[in-house]
Amino acid sequence: MDDLARHLGLSRATVSFALNGRTDVRISEATRARVVAAARELGYRPHAGAQSLAAQRTDLIGFVTDIPASPFGGGIIHGAQAAAWRRHKLLLIVSSEGDPEIEATGVEMLLDRRVEGLVYATQMHRVATLPAAVEAVPTVLVHCTSDRPGAVSVLPDEVEGGYAATRRLLAAGHRRIGLVNLAAGLPASTGRRSGYERALTEAGLELEPALVRQGDATATTGYDLAARLLDLADPPTGLFCATDRMAMGAYDAAKERGLRIPEDVAVVGFDNQEIVAAYLRPALTTVALPFAEMGVAAVEMLAATAAGERVLDRTLTGRLVERASV
Amino acid sequence: MDDLARHLGLSRATVSFALNGRTDVRISEATRARVVAAARELGYRPHAGAQSLAAQRTDLIGFVTDIPASPFGGGIIHGAQAAAWRRHKLLLIVSSEGDPEIEATGVEMLLDRRVEGLVYATQMHRVATLPAAVEAVPTVLVHCTSDRPGAVSVLPDEVEGGYAATRRLLAAGHRRIGLVNLAAGLPASTGRRSGYERALTEAGLELEPALVRQGDATATTGYDLAARLLDLADPPTGLFCATDRMAMGAYDAAKERGLRIPEDVAVVGFDNQEIVAAYLRPALTTVALPFAEMGVAAVEMLAATAAGERVLDRTLTGRLVERASV
DNA sequence: TTGTAAGCGTTATCAC
DNA sequence: GTGATAACGCTTACAA
């Protein structure tokens, strides 16, 4: 910048004003144009690090996650980066692979870089143990909660999701709807089930415990649970599976029994794992969790916090993706 | 650091030396210990930005991709971050969603931050058009190539992958092996096919054009192509599908014909899309592309370039993941 | 409308 | 062993 100023016969201050397009200081249009032209010509590139140091802001947001290598993690990263982009900020990433030591050291490194906020995203909807150092900077948790005061969370609305899935089956005329659920105790399991129950109750149907089964998230379990439901004396005609993988298993159970989907039994999944849902035959109607939106929300909440607003936990609603299994 | 120095009655220089554990300058052990203790006590945190400015290095690597939200992108990010971590560097991420304008502006922003290198990762194995600005800094392409001089690439070894998949079927005793391939022209398609052909030729088998079909990467196409192969007068007993999604379709074609996997027809996929491969019934034997390793390699190549070494394109071999479909 | 000069928080070179 | 002092590349009061 010094070279530029000398080249133009101006002071560094003037060049800085002109380049930053500041309106609170009067610079003649002619001068501004000369400066900009010279900057381009000489290939001048402002040094963001030096700007940070002088201006006392870094435009950097820290992103810590245990899972970049999943559709979930990637989606959040993408949303967060897009939102940061709009604010002319960049994302500094640490992926911990769940290792608490990497996590703690990573947070330290990010704080050394003076990130203006921290996004902490986890693979599973769970309670997270944050390194103590995060207190130093506004933090938003994604897909998890923490007892640490001041940390706010962005969570998917499991209840609404379960409700939407079940409503879809009801709308298609189904009256006996089975739930192939995740193991009890998980927020995802509890939430999806209460959405399911709310929808049935609203439709004036009675809750039948025999129609609700639970197990782990695998296709094998989905197969077993769905098989038991379909083998009931009065089997369900609709199946809400709490994950797409479980729905995959349910497909097999149905096919083995000669049941056509959706004619004989309709299936709704959860997660919208593109690879599974879109390519299952028939394609799976399922609930998409708002990954990218959660990333966007996290960065926006960080910005709001920085602006002095009080920020509360947020819950984001998924979206029913209609395909051909209902 | 000034406060610390004053608090200790030392100069800033001494504090800096002590904290950085420098051996080229003599500091008494006692002084060093005092400084470190005081730093901890006062909660002193070095300012990485200021260090960068003074030391003329940023320890920052730029990462531009069109696809964080895929297992592929996430895997590369994870590998790159892990490799950067070992070198005490951090990753600055821009996800372009394929938009050339975001890409170009993003690269500019990264250069403004004085990243020490750039990783450019694409979703599809393809030829990329890089913004001109990347010339300013060492660049490694991942999963793509460029005509720009000086840019090196990290690519998956498609031929080896096709070879390994076919060898697995041969090892299981199959002599008629069908290839459900991607559309012609793609590096993935050409490479996997030549691996397939090499394996067959080495085994002394003749190449039968009728056993090779191609189409797009979907399960539907996989179904169609596999169906045609299985309906041949002399059908193959083994199927190598160029993507796991295609293998998913092939499973359906086999099941519809009452063929058991792997007893009546064995299947090998490609990609190791966990969600599909691990949960297909039976679980799919497939070739895993080395995503994370590619990210690691990219960062290591950047480091080597920075160290003045001459770096060449690298090709990384995948790994056969044995499950139950052969 | 432009210039001067004092930071911003470090590292690095010397001299002592 | 330690301390001055000058960078590093910018922003920003304040003066002119």
Side-chain angles (χ1 to χ4, degrees):
Chain A
M1 185 179 257
D2 230 351
D3 292 347
L4 236 190
R6 234 189 323 266
H7 174 84
L8 289 162
L10 293 172
S11 74
R12 260 187 1 244
T14 305
V15 171
S16 172
F17 293 153
L19 251 24
N20 293 336
R22 292 182 49 156
T23 50
D24 54 334
V25 77
R26 283 152 307 179
I27 296 271
S28 66
E29 242 334 299
T31 304
R32 186 186 309 275
R34 268 181 67 216
V35 173
V36 171
R40 176 179 313 275
E41 186 194 338
L42 271 61
Y44 169 74
R45 182 180 289 292
H47 188 299
Q51 288 180 316
S52 288
L53 193 56
Q56 302 286 73
R57 49 164 184 66
T58 58
D59 285 336
L60 247 25
I61 293 177
F63 190 103
V64 182
T65 178
D66 52 1
I67 36 97
S70 78
F72 176 71
I76 298 193
I77 290 179
H78 179 65
Q81 126 80 32
W85 182 261
R86 275 175 235 128
R87 298 184 151 69
H88 304 283
K89 301 188 187 306
L90 248 22
L91 239 49
L92 221 33
I93 296 223
V94 171
S95 74
S96 71
E97 192 82 357
D99 179 336
E101 194 177 337
I102 294 189
E103 217 168 83
T105 319
V107 169
E108 299 286 344
M109 284 182 71
L110 295 175
L111 293 177
D112 287 350
R113 300 276 178 174
R114 297 300 189 272
V115 292
E116 296 172 350
L118 218 47
V119 177
Y120 181 98
T122 55
Q123 173 160 35
M124 292 291 296
H125 191 152
R126 62 170 166 95
V127 176
T129 312
L130 298 180
V134 302
E135 305 248 304
V137 77
T139 299
V140 174
L141 305 175
V142 179
H143 216 195
C144 54
T145 53
S146 156
D147 40 6
R148 221 168 255 288
V152 292
S153 295
V154 179
L155 298 167
D157 192 332
E158 310 282 6
V159 180
E160 271 310 316
Y163 180 73
T166 312
R167 291 278 301 169
R168 179 65 190 88
L169 289 165
L170 288 167
H174 297 279
R175 286 297 169 266
R176 290 187 66 72
I177 298 175
L179 171 60
V180 175
N181 203 9
L182 289 162
L186 304 171
S189 163
T190 315
R192 291 170 202 182
R193 177 171 186 163
S194 49
Y196 160 84
E197 293 178 344
R198 195 177 97 210
L200 293 185
T201 308
E202 276 184 19
L205 297 172
E206 219 150 309
L207 302 179
E208 281 188 48
L211 290 184
V212 177
R213 308 282 162 133
Q214 40 198 231
D216 59 35
T218 65
T220 313
T221 302
Y223 171 87
D224 290 339
L225 302 181
R228 269 181 258 160
L229 288 172
L230 296 174
D231 288 340
L232 288 175
D234 187 6
T237 61
L239 246 31
F240 166 31
C241 301
T243 75
D244 286 354
R245 266 145 56 165
M246 296 180 105
M248 235 174 124
Y251 266 49
D252 278 332
K255 287 185 189 170
E256 269 187 24
R257 284 161 181 70
L259 298 172
R260 291 160 308 162
I261 301 173
E263 293 83 353
D264 303 318
V265 58
V267 179
V268 176
F270 205 105
D271 281 347
N272 193 35
Q273 303 258 35
E274 289 285 350
I275 314 166
V276 174
Y279 296 96
L280 232 29
R281 300 166 44 81
L284 181 67
T285 292
T286 187
V287 176
L289 247 30
F291 297 146
E293 290 84 343
M294 289 166 72
V296 170
V299 168
E300 282 173 352
M301 287 159 73
L302 243 27
T305 307
E309 296 172 35
R310 243 192 89 121
V311 172
L312 301 174
D313 285 359
R314 271 184 70 180
T315 272
L316 262 48
T317 306
R319 171 178 62 88
L320 188 74
V321 181
E322 304 258 9
R323 294 208 179 83
S325 61
V326 176
Chain B
M1 186 178 258
D2 228 354
D3 293 347
L4 237 188
R6 232 188 326 265
H7 175 83
L8 289 162
L10 295 171
S11 75
R12 270 198 337 261
T14 306
V15 171
S16 172
F17 292 153
L19 251 25
N20 294 336
R22 291 184 49 160
T23 49
D24 55 335
V25 78
R26 282 153 305 177
I27 296 269
S28 65
E29 240 337 297
T31 305
R32 188 189 305 277
R34 269 180 70 217
V35 172
V36 170
R40 178 180 309 276
E41 184 193 340
L42 271 61
Y44 168 74
R45 182 180 289 292
H47 188 300
Q51 289 180 315
S52 288
L53 191 56
Q56 302 284 74
R57 48 162 184 67
T58 59
D59 285 336
L60 248 26
I61 293 177
F63 189 103
V64 183
T65 177
D66 51 0
I67 35 99
S70 77
F72 177 70
I76 298 191
I77 291 180
H78 179 66
Q81 127 79 35
W85 182 261
R86 274 174 237 132
R87 300 186 149 68
H88 303 281
K89 300 189 188 305
L90 248 21
L91 236 50
L92 221 33
I93 295 221
V94 171
S95 75
S96 70
E97 192 81 358
D99 179 336
E101 196 177 333
I102 294 189
E103 216 167 85
T105 319
V107 169
E108 299 285 345
M109 284 181 72
L110 294 175
L111 292 177
D112 287 351
R113 299 277 178 172
R114 298 299 190 272
V115 293
E116 297 172 350
L118 219 47
V119 176
Y120 182 98
T122 56
Q123 172 158 38
M124 292 291 296
H125 192 153
R126 63 171 166 92
V127 176
T129 312
L130 298 181
V134 302
E135 306 248 305
V137 78
T139 300
V140 174
L141 306 175
V142 179
H143 217 198
C144 54
T145 53
S146 155
D147 40 5
R148 217 170 260 287
V152 291
S153 295
V154 178
L155 298 168
D157 192 331
E158 309 284 6
V159 179
E160 270 311 314
Y163 180 73
T166 311
R167 291 280 299 173
R168 180 65 190 87
L169 289 165
L170 287 168
H174 296 278
R175 285 297 168 270
R176 290 186 66 72
I177 298 175
L179 171 60
V180 175
N181 203 8
L182 290 162
L186 304 172
S189 164
T190 314
R192 291 169 202 183
R193 177 171 186 161
S194 45
Y196 161 85
E197 293 177 344
R198 196 178 94 208
L200 292 185
T201 307
E202 277 184 17
L205 297 172
E206 218 149 309
L207 301 179
E208 280 189 47
L211 290 184
V212 177
R213 308 284 161 132
Q214 42 197 228
D216 58 36
T218 65
T220 313
T221 301
Y223 171 86
D224 291 339
L225 302 182
R228 267 182 258 157
L229 288 173
L230 296 175
D231 289 340
L232 287 175
D234 187 6
T237 62
L239 248 29
F240 167 31
C241 300
T243 74
D244 287 354
R245 267 143 59 164
M246 295 180 107
M248 232 173 126
Y251 266 50
D252 277 332
K255 287 183 189 173
E256 268 187 25
R257 282 160 183 72
L259 298 172
R260 290 160 308 162
I261 300 171
E263 293 82 355
D264 302 318
V265 58
V267 179
V268 176
F270 206 106
D271 280 347
N272 193 33
Q273 304 258 34
E274 290 285 349
I275 313 168
V276 173
Y279 296 96
L280 231 31
R281 301 167 41 82
L284 181 67
T285 292
T286 187
V287 176
L289 247 31
F291 297 146
E293 290 85 343
M294 288 166 74
V296 170
V299 168
E300 282 173 353
M301 287 159 74
L302 242 28
T305 308
E309 297 172 34
R310 244 192 90 123
V311 172
L312 301 174
D313 285 1
R314 271 184 68 180
T315 273
L316 261 47
T317 306
R319 169 178 63 88
L320 186 73
V321 180
E322 303 261 8
R323 294 209 180 80
S325 61
V326 177

